[in-house]
């Protein structure tokens, strides 16, 4: 199997092995649909970590750990604005991963 | 995310999170190329577990555990002939998984 150096397949598969993380990635596809409105910020810069706490009903630390796992795998990117962290899908990595799987599996 | 009931996504992603298991699945695509000839049996019935020991250089118990993980995920099927276990790719599940990812991710 030829693995592109930009894809950390071990980390990506591990990240996707949890249903909550797959849901998070899915919700990020369409923030307007899956998250209630953000005050002061549009979804352009991403979805604030706190929105995932509300959506999942999980604790802040659990949500942080899930988001960190997604980020370590390169599936999301984050941006800090003030004290808040905003998350977006990393479409480039996601597309490369899906393409790779179609060829390699 | 709508998940087809026939796919255990947690188990599939976990199974694919290890490079040796990805390799095993890849080798099973083309046994004649990746494994030395099997005595008495053609590759039609699958690849004997012992062939993976030789190919990976891993212990029999480690190889068995990897193959069991792939089988639990539905990515391979096995068939016992005498005292030997033979493994094949489960193309139906693999194809459904790749198709699902293309849509859901």
């Amino acid at each position: 199997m030829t693995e592109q150096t930009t894809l950390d397949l071990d980390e990506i598969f591990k990240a996707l092995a949890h249903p909550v993380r797959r849901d998070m990635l899915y919700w990020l596809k369409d923030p307007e649909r899956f998250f209630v409105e953000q005050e002061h910020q549009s979804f352009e810069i991403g979805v604030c970590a706190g929105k995932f706490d509300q959506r999942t009903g999980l604790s802040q630390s659990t949500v942080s750990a899930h988001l960190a796992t997604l980020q370590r795998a390169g599936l999301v990117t984050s941006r800090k604005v003030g004290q808040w962290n905003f998350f977006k899908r990393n479409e480039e990595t996601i597309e490369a991963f899906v393409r790779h799987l179609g060829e390699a599996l």
Side-chain angles (χ1 to χ4, degrees), chain A residues 38-52:
Chain A
Q38 288 183 151
E39 287 163 40
H40 312 306
Q41 303 280 1
S42 85
F43 286 121
E44 270 299 295
I45 56 161
V47 174
C48 183
K51 293 285 159 198
F52 291 95

Side-chain angles (χ1 to χ4, degrees), chain A residues 4 15 23-24 36 40 44 59 67 75-76 91 99 102:
Chain A
Q4 285 172 270
D23 283 345
M24 287 173 150
V36 292
H40 312 306
E44 270 299 295
S59 73
L67 287 168
L75 295 168
V76 301
E91 297 294 354
R99 201 166 48 239

